[in-house]
Amino acid sequence: MAKKRLVIVGLGLIGGSLALALKGFEDFEIVGVDVSQPTLRFAAEHGVGDTVTEDAATVLPTADVVVLALHPRGIVDFLAQHRDRFPAGCLITDVCGVKTAILEAAEVLPDTVDFIGCHPMAGTEFSGIEHAFGEMFQGSHLILVPRKNSTPEHIALMERLAAYIGCRDVYRTTAEEHDAMIAYTSQLMHIIAVSVCDDPMLFTCRGFEGSSFRGCTRVAALDVGLWTELFSMNRPALVASVDRLLESLTAYRAALSSGDNAVLSAKLARSAARKRQMDLPGPDLLS
Amino acid sequence: MAKKRLVIVGLGLIGGSLALALKGFEDFEIVGVDVSQPTLRFAAEHGVGDTVTEDAATVLPTADVVVLALHPRGIVDFLAQHRDRFPAGCLITDVCGVKTAILEAAEVLPDTVDFIGCHPMAGTEFSGIEHAFGEMFQGSHLILVPRKNSTPEHIALMERLAAYIGCRDVYRTTAEEHDAMIAYTSQLMHIIAVSVCDDPMLFTCRGFEGSSFRGCTRVAALDVGLWTELFSMNRPALVASVDRLLESLTAYRAALSSGDNAVLSAKLARSAARKRQMDLPGPDLLS
């Protein structure tokens, strides 16, 4: 029996890591697609995907699963351009960090195919296939945004895929909830990191930075094109998150400058307790 | 020849880790001092220090080096209480995260002893000897704040000690510069972490947090008593750091809400380039 085909479109940091992590997954042949010749050469030389090609139009009609690992605008464009090339019964998914815009873009697809939005909560501050590694998804959350007509078989396939690449758990949600949450848990962290790096003291503080500084600012060295898209495609939720942070920081500034250590201490105790409570094992996220 | 004695006062997270890291350092016997019986029992059972005692008054007159690993107010009080118990030629140092207040407190010491302020840029969000580990200082910066009359021999001893526990480099500075830098590189990171954890979405976002969220908020589970002291003993510099962050965040908010992606992209490019430049290997920090 011929193998099934899982096609990964875009062999960058995430697509390349996914191709490495999916090696040997069930009876799937992993096919990598990219428009960059150096990327395809690197993939072929390093075994990123079982086979690689630059010809999406030819490989798509043979695909059982297609993972779109492009930047958000690239996904929107790809879906519009290739909407009629996906075979009946095909599952199409993605890996990008906004979901409302992607699910809307997927409306161009015919009813004969299934689209399930996907966001593995993993990554690094680097980009490109040369930084890909198969262990990227170990211990991460994976978020699924199915559509009303997504089949149980395809959702189950995504859950097996998540388990195979090492994800800790799978959470199903709506595009709107995903984007509101991610504005806080991911996008705001990037806005904080770049804001801290805008401080005039950045270059004079060498020798004084510890693990908290490195942890907070690591993601500031971001992929500018990608994050401009992610931020601008989720603008209202992100601005609301920034406003809530400005409010919380201003409250801490007031407690500090009051000079009243009892007030400061009570406020720190409350925040620290919230963090400890948040780290307690939560309910099973498989819904 | 009798061994020299290095006395660590306070066997908490940092003091305990230092006792473990210093095992076998040159010809020093490591003596741990603590007022807590459970801590002393834990230390004795786990080999934290070669010997342990609750009796500071008896052991101090026999010390060659004394490391004060107490909270800042504890250091101030200890110096005042034991000022006449340090033998001539003794080197006294500390490990705490503010320096102006500690160097001022050290003025009570007689001229016969040497005080060098010290701040290893290492730690975790936990506290207590049960979380201590000897590898804590691997790859960290260590900052020294000598006094005008600190001897070259004692500074050289601190540099050998730093190398022995695995520090990456040693930086000498003044108390004022230390406190201004640390307000930004360390204290502000803690204010950010607790402020992010004050967000109403904290408990609903489980399943959506990735490595950037964990990196930014890790230190929010802080030791409230310790950090109330550290913040309040460095208030003006910390408030100034918070104000600079509020300004940078507000500028990002404006770029986001302008809806002009070219403006946002240019701003992100500038911040990301600063972060990459900051991560380039800097000049040798040994001064």
Side-chain angles (χ1 to χ4, degrees), chain A residues 35-231:
Chain A
V35 293
S36 152
Q37 290 303 322
T39 295
L40 290 172
R41 265 199 306 278
F42 187 100
E45 282 165 12
H46 294 80
V48 182
D50 298 315
T51 62
V52 295
T53 174
E54 62 184 323
D55 188 0
T58 300
V59 79
L60 286 180
T62 71
D64 297 281
V65 179
V66 178
V67 181
L68 303 177
L70 304 165
H71 286 197
R73 296 271 172 222
I75 294 175
V76 172
D77 295 343
F78 191 94
L79 285 168
Q81 189 187 343
H82 296 283
R83 50 178 291 182
D84 296 321
R85 295 207 170 91
F86 301 99
C90 182
L91 167 63
I92 302 147
T93 182
D94 76 313
V95 295
C96 100
V98 289
K99 284 287 155 280
T100 306
I102 300 302
L103 272 285
E104 279 171 15
E107 294 296 321
V108 302
L109 293 170
D111 288 343
T112 50
V113 301
D114 196 356
F115 186 91
I116 299 178
C118 174
H119 184 189
M121 296 295 301
T124 73
E125 66 276 31
F126 304 110
S127 56
I129 193 170
E130 65 274 25
H131 295 292
F133 58 104
E135 298 74 27
M136 174 179 284
F137 309 98
Q138 298 282 345
S140 297
H141 303 298
L142 186 131
I143 304 165
L144 292 182
V145 182
R147 303 204 290 191
K148 284 206 183 71
N149 59 351
S150 293
T151 69
E153 291 75 17
H154 282 156
I155 293 173
L157 171 60
M158 290 301 292
E159 288 175 347
R160 295 199 307 277
L161 182 152
Y164 190 79
I165 65 176
C167 290
R168 178 166 52 166
D169 45 40
V170 176
Y171 189 50
R172 281 190 235 168
T173 185
T174 64
E176 294 69 28
E177 190 192 34
H178 170 276
D179 288 0
M181 292 292 181
I182 248 54
Y184 169 53
T185 59
S186 168
Q187 299 190 337
L188 182 63
M189 302 305 111
H190 289 73
I191 294 291
I192 290 170
V194 289
S195 295
V196 167
C197 288
D198 281 353
D199 195 293
M201 282 176 76
L202 181 70
F203 296 117
T204 50
C205 80
R206 275 206 193 99
F208 293 90
E209 79 285 10
S211 59
S212 63
F213 190 85
R214 287 189 289 268
C216 179
T217 61
R218 178 179 61 83
V219 293
L222 43 71
D223 179 327
V224 173
L226 171 63
W227 286 92
T228 301
E229 288 187 13
L230 291 170
F231 291 155

Side-chain angles (χ1 to χ4, degrees), chain B residues 13-266:
Chain B
L13 176 71
I14 307 291
S17 295
L18 197 58
L20 289 167
L22 280 173
K23 204 170 281 272
F25 176 56
E26 297 184 355
D27 53 348
F28 284 98
E29 176 192 10
I30 310 297
V31 182
V33 177
D34 206 283
V35 294
S36 152
Q37 289 304 322
T39 295
L40 290 172
R41 265 199 306 277
F42 186 100
E45 282 165 13
H46 293 80
V48 183
D50 299 314
T51 61
V52 295
T53 175
E54 63 184 322
D55 188 0
T58 300
V59 78
L60 286 180
T62 72
D64 297 280
V65 179
V66 177
V67 182
L68 303 176
L70 304 164
H71 286 195
R73 296 272 172 223
I75 294 175
V76 172
D77 294 345
F78 191 94
L79 286 168
Q81 189 186 343
H82 296 284
R83 51 179 290 183
D84 296 321
R85 293 205 171 91
F86 302 100
C90 183
L91 168 63
I92 303 146
T93 183
D94 77 312
V95 295
C96 100
V98 288
K99 283 287 156 278
T100 307
I102 299 302
L103 271 284
E104 279 171 15
E107 294 295 320
V108 302
L109 293 170
D111 288 342
T112 50
V113 301
D114 197 356
F115 186 92
I116 299 179
C118 175
H119 183 189
M121 296 295 301
T124 73
E125 67 275 30
F126 304 110
S127 56
I129 193 169
E130 65 274 24
H131 295 292
F133 59 104
E135 298 74 26
M136 174 179 283
F137 310 98
Q138 298 283 345
S140 298
H141 303 299
L142 186 131
I143 303 165
L144 292 183
V145 182
R147 303 205 289 190
K148 283 204 184 74
N149 59 350
S150 293
T151 69
E153 291 74 18
H154 282 155
I155 293 173
L157 171 60
M158 290 301 292
E159 289 175 345
R160 294 199 307 277
L161 181 153
Y164 190 78
I165 64 177
C167 290
R168 178 166 54 166
D169 45 40
V170 176
Y171 190 48
R172 282 189 234 167
T173 186
T174 64
E176 293 69 28
E177 191 192 33
H178 170 276
D179 288 1
M181 292 292 181
I182 248 55
Y184 170 54
T185 59
S186 168
Q187 298 190 336
L188 182 63
M189 302 305 111
H190 289 73
I191 293 291
I192 290 171
V194 289
S195 295
V196 167
C197 289
D198 280 355
D199 194 293
M201 283 177 75
L202 181 71
F203 296 118
T204 49
C205 80
R206 274 206 194 100
F208 293 89
E209 79 285 10
S211 58
S212 64
F213 190 85
R214 287 189 288 269
C216 179
T217 60
R218 177 180 60 83
V219 293
L222 44 71
D223 179 327
V224 173
L226 172 63
W227 286 92
T228 301
E229 288 188 12
L230 291 170
F231 291 155
S232 62
M233 292 166 101
N234 197 26
R235 186 176 287 124
L238 177 54
V239 170
S241 277
V242 173
D243 283 342
R244 295 200 307 276
L245 176 64
L246 287 169
E247 201 176 308
S248 298
L249 279 170
T250 303
Y252 260 109
R253 188 203 185 281
L256 284 167
S257 57
S258 77
D260 185 337
N261 282 2
V263 168
L264 178 59
S265 171

